[in-house]
Amino acid sequence: MNKRVLLALTSALALGSVASAFGGGGGGAQPTTRPATTTAACQNVVNILASNQNFSTLAGAAQAAGLIDTLRNASGVTIFAPTNAAFAKIPADALAALTKDTASLGNVLRFHIVPSRLNARDVSTIDSAGTLAGFTLAVSTVNGNVFVNDARVTQTNIVACNDVIVHVIDTVLLPPNVTLAVPEVPVENVTQEQATTPPPPEPPTANTQETAQGQDTTQGQASNASDSSLAPAISVTAIPALPLNAPQSTTGGTTDTTAATSTTTTTAASTNNVTSVVGQTADLSTFAAALKAANLEKAFGAEGTYTVFAPTNEAFAKIPAAQLQAIIDNPDVLFQILSYHVAGNQIAQGDLAATTSYEPLVGEPVQLMGGNMVGNANIVGEPIVTDNGIIYRIDTVLLPPGLELPAPAAAATTTTAAAATTTSSTTTATTTTATTTTTAQATTTPTIAQIVATDPRFSTLLAAVQAAGLVETLNSGEFTVFAPTNDAFAKIPAAQLQAVLANPDQLRRLLTFHVVAGRMPAADIASQTVLTSVAGPTLTVAVDNAMVKIGGATVTQADVAASNGVIHVIDTVLMPPGN
């Protein structure tokens, strides 16, 4: 490869784009900081890639594909990371074309991510692994060297935050649905033998004992040395005998590769995996279609252990049709949403009530409450146990906090039509109608329940309202609601909050203590000393330094208008007498 071309490409990818992505100059997004779980602060995988010169091309590719946040928020996954030397095996023109095709580039990078945590010992005991690209990687051992497809593992067990583990490989992995645009070579420079014979695979290291002695399996940061000084290929003799969580398998046949014997393992394809079961479950057909659209059906059909919170068809039906179609048409957004519903470990039904949150494959931890709620969704029906995990049906689609949803196609079309200059009376009439419809939709005031459902400050309140069965109540009638934020609920000890959420009668009384019949703006409330709650007991009202106080709570935002009332935001949960 032309080294100047590679250097220019690497500079464009890594030094320009990555600088902003990893918090350098230009006001780029800062990495999310998580609390340290050990005495030494860990690094997320994005920081590891950014700080190691051997991964500058990979880091630049992740930025070009828009996967920085996906990697930063990844949890419980395994990443096979190609070095700069691995990318250098790709012709410069083909690599440049790939980086411009962000959809294909994203597929390539996801083909390097396995949605479960596999350390070196685990990798050595399996023969395949599903990826987030939807295709399966073949894992084999040749002369003591571990290969993933045709890439050799050269360094293992680089541990990142969020239970992510990285193994270094010497070749870029290409999924079956991506073909590199290889530049044409002049015929006169190619012999007949070169034109008809594919290049031989890279031979494995012959001396197994030397490989074992030189192997670096130390957990920690990848070496910053040049690629030529990387540790030799991983040796089976350097791997402890007992895998942590790899599945049992039976020994199969042998394959002759470059005159070396390769012992592989074979297992029958399971028909009771997550993907198969979802596809066979009638009320999960929309979820199954979404997995297929996001190229995730094969990922959850392979070996691994998962807990899947699967939205039912009715859950997807709550999303407006145009918005749902826009999500399905955007693979990256769809990928983030679906991955947010999956944990990389199995949470048994008996452990659900005692578990307060789970780490999704992508995104921040998701709250579990009382064994029957996840985030703002209710768990419905009985769980389905599969060979590689467990499935819980839920009645609402979970959305990662801060995720920007794509605009529905209808809205985009209307905007275009309104801005366009029309030349006929028919077109003008159509444009006017479209614009009028959009304006009417935009000015429709949401109900109290809809405001609570769409404002991220009220996600805990929403979960409580759903658990108490009060959603329909807040969609009808006319009320004044004093709405506690998530921070307000966080003031309640976790055990006490769980106990309230698990008691529907007590929860309903607590919530209706925050509701007053009728619409009362802040000015009217300030003139009162006592208000009667829907629950029955009264609420005291006071004004202190121009701040309105309700019971022991301060109103931090007043007069959030709803179609059926008004919301006043408060900083403390109000406790009715006797609770």
Side-chain angles (χ1 to χ4, degrees), residues 202-576:
E202 182 177 344
T205 304
N207 192 328
T208 303
Q209 185 60 39
E210 290 179 2
T211 301
Q213 293 172 351
Q215 174 61 34
D216 177 12
T217 58
T218 304
Q219 293 188 351
Q221 301 285 329
S223 171
N224 281 325
S226 65
D227 288 324
S228 60
S229 64
L230 282 176
I234 177 174
S235 168
V236 170
T237 60
I239 300 174
L242 296 177
L244 295 182
N245 59 6
Q248 298 297 316
S249 58
T250 56
T251 303
T254 59
T255 304
D256 185 22
T257 305
T258 319
T261 300
S262 170
T263 302
T264 62
T265 57
T266 58
T267 54
S270 169
T271 58
N272 190 43
N273 56 57
V274 167
T275 299
S276 297
V277 171
V278 167
Q280 296 164 10
T281 305
D283 63 348
L284 297 179
S285 59
T286 306
F287 184 61
L291 289 178
K292 184 174 183 179
N295 288 323
L296 284 174
E297 56 179 351
K298 291 186 179 179
F300 303 125
E303 295 170 342
T305 304
Y306 311 103
T307 298
V308 180
F309 296 97
T312 62
N313 296 346
E314 291 183 356
F316 280 102
K318 294 179 181 180
I319 303 174
Q323 180 66 78
L324 180 58
Q325 189 60 52
I327 293 172
I328 291 175
D329 290 342
N330 188 314
D332 189 55
V333 170
L334 184 61
F335 166 81
Q336 292 185 60
I337 291 174
L338 296 179
S339 299
Y340 192 60
H341 290 74
V342 182
N345 62 299
Q346 183 165 319
I347 306 173
Q349 185 178 21
D351 298 330
L352 203 59
T355 305
T356 58
S357 66
Y358 73 88
E359 291 274 355
L361 297 181
V362 172
E364 297 295 319
V366 182
Q367 190 175 21
L368 292 168
M369 292 170 287
N372 57 8
M373 292 200 69
V374 49
N376 62 339
N378 295 298
I379 296 174
V380 295
E382 291 299 314
I384 307 171
V385 179
T386 73
D387 290 344
N388 62 341
I390 188 168
I391 302 169
Y392 296 96
R393 298 179 182 88
I394 57 176
D395 67 356
T396 302
V397 177
L398 306 173
L399 295 178
L403 177 66
E404 184 175 346
L405 296 180
T413 302
T414 300
T415 302
T416 303
T421 302
T422 58
T423 58
S424 69
S425 58
T426 302
T427 306
T428 302
T430 302
T431 301
T432 303
T433 302
T435 304
T436 302
T437 301
T438 302
T439 303
Q441 290 175 345
T443 57
T444 299
T445 304
T447 66
I448 292 172
Q450 288 170 336
I451 292 174
V452 171
T454 56
D455 191 323
R457 295 176 299 172
F458 301 137
S459 59
T460 306
L461 175 60
L462 175 62
V465 168
Q466 291 177 327
L470 292 175
V471 174
E472 289 306 316
T473 301
L474 294 180
N475 268 326
S476 58
E478 190 168 81
F479 302 105
T480 297
V481 176
F482 299 100
T485 62
N486 295 342
D487 290 339
F489 278 99
K491 295 179 181 180
I492 302 174
Q496 183 180 348
L497 179 59
Q498 289 288 343
V500 172
L501 291 171
N503 186 325
D505 291 336
Q506 190 178 37
L507 180 61
R508 194 173 295 109
R509 186 166 185 268
L510 182 147
L511 293 176
T512 53
F513 188 56
H514 292 74
V515 181
V516 174
R519 184 190 300 261
M520 296 192 67
D524 292 348
I525 293 174
S527 65
Q528 306 293 317
T529 57
V530 174
L531 299 173
T532 301
S533 71
V534 172
T538 57
L539 296 163
T540 59
V541 181
V543 179
D544 183 14
N545 291 330
M547 300 295 291
V548 176
K549 292 185 177 293
I550 306 295
T554 299
V555 176
T556 59
Q557 182 182 356
D559 296 333
V560 179
S563 62
N564 64 327
V566 63
I567 295 174
H568 305 294
V569 184
I570 57 175
D571 65 355
T572 303
V573 176
L574 304 172
M575 292 293 178

Side-chain angles (χ1 to χ4, degrees), residues 46-67:
V46 170
N47 288 344
I48 289 175
L49 296 180
S51 62
N52 191 312
Q53 62 184 7
N54 291 323
F55 299 129
S56 60
T57 306
L58 174 59
Q63 169 65 9
L67 293 178

Side-chain angles (χ1 to χ4, degrees), residues 166-192:
V166 178
H167 306 302
V168 183
I169 56 176
D170 67 355
T171 303
V172 176
L173 305 169
L174 295 178
N177 64 341
V178 174
T179 302
L180 293 180
V182 181
E184 295 183 1
V185 181
V187 176
E188 60 270 17
N189 294 334
V190 182
T191 66
Q192 180 64 29

Side-chain angles (χ1 to χ4, degrees), residues 15-27:
L15 303 181
S17 302
V18 178
S20 61
F22 301 112

